[in-house]
Amino acid sequence: MSRWPLIAKSPPTQQERHYRLYKEALSIESGRRCVYCGITEAEFGGLRNFHVEHYRPKSRFAALANDYDNLFFACGICNVFKGDDWPGDPDPSNNAIAYPKPSNVDYNSLFSVDDGGAVSGRNPAAVYLIERVHLNRAQLIVSRRFEKALEELSAFLDWVHAFRPQYQGREGDLERLLHLVVQLAQYQVRITQARPYGPADQR
Ligand SMILES: [Zn+2]
């Protein structure tokens, strides 16, 4: 799954009275990742470390405080950095200083990720977002490097398997090595999909 999936808003049929009650639905809808930095629940200590984020801050847009369309899933760090900041409405070209809405804009199109895992913005809105929410935090750099390495490893393993007949007597060793590498990759994928805490922690 992409680090920044475009969020398809799917409001629960039952309308809740308070935005906090939407946390689980928002987590599912975002692939259990922060919509801004892409960190997973498993990487960042579980659901309790994530907040219900008000895209338009509730301090300025009180009428939208419990409006599902205005709510997103964000890690506590991004949520606090963004805070009550609202520089203005976004424009479709992202040339204005504003927050692109995660349900309208594919965040992958906003950023370039270099080989070292750092992101840079492709337009003024993206540059602002990176600076304001600190999207080059040390943990995010490591997380993005790791995901990139896993993607490369997956492609490399396919290539290695294609040359299997040329191993010349070391098949057993190479198979063991490949098995270990595949196991490590699978464990990491399972970790990023896991939920560290149970339903009791949903609020
Ligand atoms: Zn985040």
Side-chain angles (χ1 to χ4, degrees), residues 34-39 50 74-79 133 135 137 140:
C34 171
V35 295
Y36 297 119
C37 73
I39 202 127
F50 284 72
C75 75
I77 296 180
C78 288
N79 185 247
V133 186
L135 291 184
R137 310 194 292 266
L140 300 178

Side-chain angles (χ1 to χ4, degrees), residues 110-130:
L110 296 175
F111 307 127
S112 297
V113 185
D114 70 20
D115 288 342
V119 286
S120 54
R122 290 180 172 153
N123 49 53
V127 169
Y128 183 76
L129 180 65
I130 290 167

Side-chain angles (χ1 to χ4, degrees), residues 77-155:
I77 296 180
C78 288
N79 185 247
V80 168
F81 278 138
K82 182 168 170 286
D84 292 338
D85 187 41
W86 186 257
D89 288 346
D91 77 316
S93 63
N94 293 311
N95 282 323
I97 300 297
Y99 290 103
K101 194 171 185 181
S103 53
N104 289 345
V105 176
D106 178 356
Y107 268 43
N108 295 285
S109 72
L110 296 175
F111 307 127
S112 297
V113 185
D114 70 20
D115 288 342
V119 286
S120 54
R122 290 180 172 153
N123 49 53
V127 169
Y128 183 76
L129 180 65
I130 290 167
E131 289 178 1
R132 181 76 196 196
V133 186
H134 299 275
L135 291 184
N136 283 316
R137 310 194 292 266
Q139 186 189 23
L140 300 178
I141 298 265
V142 173
S143 174
R144 288 191 291 255
R145 275 187 194 163
F146 200 95
E147 283 194 343
K148 186 170 167 52
L150 278 182
E151 285 172 16
E152 289 181 14
L153 177 64
S154 175

